Amino acid sequence: MLSVLAELQRELIVADTMDGLASARARGRVGGRRPRLTPEQATLAQELCDARVKTVQQIADLFGVPRSTVYGRLDKDTTVHRQPKTKPTTNA
């Protein structure tokens, strides 16, 4: 019997939470963390990466963010990342 009441209470809490989030969205509020890069910075990072002017690490250092943040803002469909350097083969 107690488990039924606990389950009912949980469902009420979930419903109230969803109603609160929907109400906040209707007022223009959004949840989550603020992006570390502004849209202008993300555009500049994309341009620098596409032109191969700077590496992702250099772009990250420029904006003071980790590489993963830069990778997260790059367009995954059009960005061609640098290939790792390969050692020249010797034909002996």
Side-chain angles (χ1 to χ4, degrees):
M1 188 68 177
L2 288 177
S3 64
V4 172
L5 290 175
E7 188 175 339
L8 177 64
Q9 184 179 11
R10 181 185 180 285
E11 289 175 6
L12 290 173
I13 291 171
V14 169
D16 287 343
T17 301
M18 298 307 265
D19 290 343
L21 290 172
S23 174
R25 281 190 211 102
R27 291 190 312 267
R29 306 277 304 184
V30 292
R33 297 182 79 167
R34 291 188 181 131
R36 292 283 303 266
L37 294 178
T38 64
E40 294 82 19
Q41 289 173 328
T43 302
L44 179 59
Q46 183 71 52
E47 291 171 1
L48 290 173
C49 189
D50 288 345
R52 295 181 179 237
V53 175
K54 295 195 177 285
T55 64
V56 172
Q57 182 63 55
Q58 291 169 336
I59 295 168
D61 293 341
L62 178 70
F63 295 122
V65 296
R67 279 183 309 175
S68 59
T69 300
V70 176
Y71 278 119
R73 295 302 300 260
L74 293 178
D75 185 9
K76 294 163 186 58
D77 296 330
T78 61
T79 303
V80 178
H81 299 291
R82 293 182 180 201
Q83 297 297 318
K85 292 182 180 179
T86 59
K87 294 180 181 178
T89 58
T90 57
N91 296 331

